[in-house]
Amino acid sequence: MSLTAKDKKMVKAFWAKVAGKAEDIGCDALSRMLVVYPQTKTYFSHWKDLSPGSAPVRKHGGTIMGGIGLAVASIDDISAGLLALSELHAFQLRVDPANFKILSHNILVVLAVMFPNEFNPEAHVAMDKFLAAVGRALSEKYR
Amino acid sequence: MVDWTDAEKSTISAVWGKVDINEVGPLALARVLIVYPWTQRYFGSFGDVSTPAAIMGNPKVAAHGKVVCGALDKAVKNMGNILATYKSLSETHANKLFVDPENFRVLADVLTIVVAAKFGASFTPEIQATWQKFMKVVVAAMGSRYF
């Protein structure tokens, strides 16, 4: 399920509309993930405060969305663009790749919450495919 | 089988109470067919599903969306006994309709997104958690008669 030219165009156009709120999106998505999928908290045992909207959650949400932005910019070769991030996740963070799908779902929920009109079915399918491609790229170096 | 706190029960009822089945059902099913086009395999008799516009305007898709949401209403009204409530529906999907139960997970995720779009920020992380627990139970019940 690779990204078609139409998908890439849609993702870039949609990202242009929402990128201004990237930190809010990341903060909300991460907050939701930690509440709705409590097993994901196991990766953040070193944080003082895992509650929705807390300082570490907001900061890390912004970091994650920076990675998403990088993927958008590298959309013609996401694996190459995210090589360093893949190595980070594979060898240091060792986040189980199943969690990429979980976070992707929560990003989609936040896009629906924050941009109900722009996040129409066509945008939804493009973003879902894109986030799946990002997850695959991040998983590349795992084994 | 499933423990529902009073808070969870009232959250589900409150969310469902604000959902218009006739609006959300069609929107959710259409979105499933658009975002996961292989799901169209079950709807060969529905006519034109060739483009997102065709799907969104298709009256059979809309009608079936209402049927599906109507069935969810039964779950909301029988939260203590969703497994029994969905026994024959599960059997029908398994043995007559031959629907891959993965589709129940897919529909649940899309329904969550459609509900989130309707509610906006009032669909808080805590409400989302309770709603997704409910979806998880419904999905498990729908898959329970597949052997």
Side-chain angles (χ1 to χ4, degrees):
Chain A
M1 290 190 259
S2 52
L3 296 173
T4 63
K6 184 170 154 218
D7 291 327
K8 292 179 192 178
K9 193 168 163 207
M10 173 64 85
V11 169
K12 284 193 260 196
F14 186 77
W15 183 252
K17 286 184 206 162
V18 310
K21 297 259 178 181
E23 197 189 86
D24 287 336
I25 295 170
C27 179
D28 198 3
L30 193 55
S31 298
R32 286 172 188 275
M33 187 185 79
L34 295 168
V35 169
V36 181
Y37 301 86
Q39 70 274 17
T40 58
K41 291 190 292 187
T42 55
Y43 291 100
F44 304 103
S45 53
H46 55 288
W47 285 356
K48 276 199 175 68
D49 186 356
L50 286 159
S51 60
S54 72
V57 169
R58 172 162 287 277
K59 180 162 180 256
H60 198 60
T63 300
I64 290 172
M65 293 312 279
I68 300 290
L70 176 60
V72 176
S74 317
I75 205 165
D76 289 321
D77 192 346
I78 299 178
S79 293
L82 295 193
L83 180 61
L85 272 176
S86 182
E87 286 175 344
L88 177 73
H89 283 76
F91 304 125
Q92 270 143 62
L93 303 176
R94 290 177 288 192
V95 171
D96 193 303
N99 293 288
F100 302 146
K101 276 196 197 162
I102 290 175
L103 182 57
S104 294
H105 169 71
N106 285 290
I107 291 173
L108 295 177
V109 169
V110 170
L111 294 177
V113 163
M114 289 177 65
F115 306 98
N117 298 318
E118 293 87 338
F119 192 61
N120 57 30
E122 290 93 330
H124 182 162
V125 58
M127 287 305 295
D128 191 33
K129 286 181 75 175
F130 169 68
L131 290 173
V134 170
R136 285 195 300 274
L138 282 177
S139 311
E140 269 214 30
K141 293 293 175 191
Y142 270 63
R143 57 176 175 175
Chain B
M1 193 215 157
V2 181
D3 281 323
W4 300 104
T5 64
D6 289 338
E8 284 172 334
K9 282 190 259 187
S10 66
T11 295
I12 301 297
S13 298
V15 169
W16 192 246
K18 292 192 201 122
V19 163
D20 178 359
I21 296 175
N22 293 326
E23 188 198 2
V24 161
L27 282 177
L29 186 60
R31 207 171 263 249
V32 167
L33 296 172
I34 293 167
V35 178
Y36 306 97
W38 51 93
T39 58
Q40 292 164 24
R41 73 188 305 283
Y42 300 110
F43 302 105
S45 65
F46 273 31
D48 187 6
V49 291
S50 57
T51 65
I55 292 169
M56 299 291 286
N58 185 308
K60 285 189 171 176
V61 171
H64 196 64
K66 291 179 195 175
V67 165
V68 170
C69 262
L72 262 180
D73 193 62
K74 269 199 210 158
V76 175
K77 300 204 156 72
N78 290 281
M79 282 186 63
N81 214 354
I82 294 176
L83 190 64
T85 302
Y86 276 178
K87 179 168 179 271
S88 65
L89 251 186
S90 178
E91 283 168 354
T92 301
H93 282 73
N95 303 321
K96 300 221 167 72
L97 303 174
F98 305 110
V99 172
D100 184 336
E102 180 60 25
N103 291 287
F104 307 142
R105 271 173 278 286
V106 163
L107 177 58
D109 280 350
V110 169
L111 194 53
T112 300
I113 284 167
V114 169
V115 165
K118 282 251 101 204
F119 281 65
S122 69
F123 192 64
T124 63
E126 293 75 16
I127 291 177
Q128 182 186 341
T130 301
W131 173 258
Q132 288 201 207
K133 178 179 171 178
F134 173 64
M135 289 285 97
K136 200 167 156 183
V137 172
V138 165
V139 166
M142 282 303 295
S144 66
R145 304 300 294 169
Y146 280 71
F147 300 109

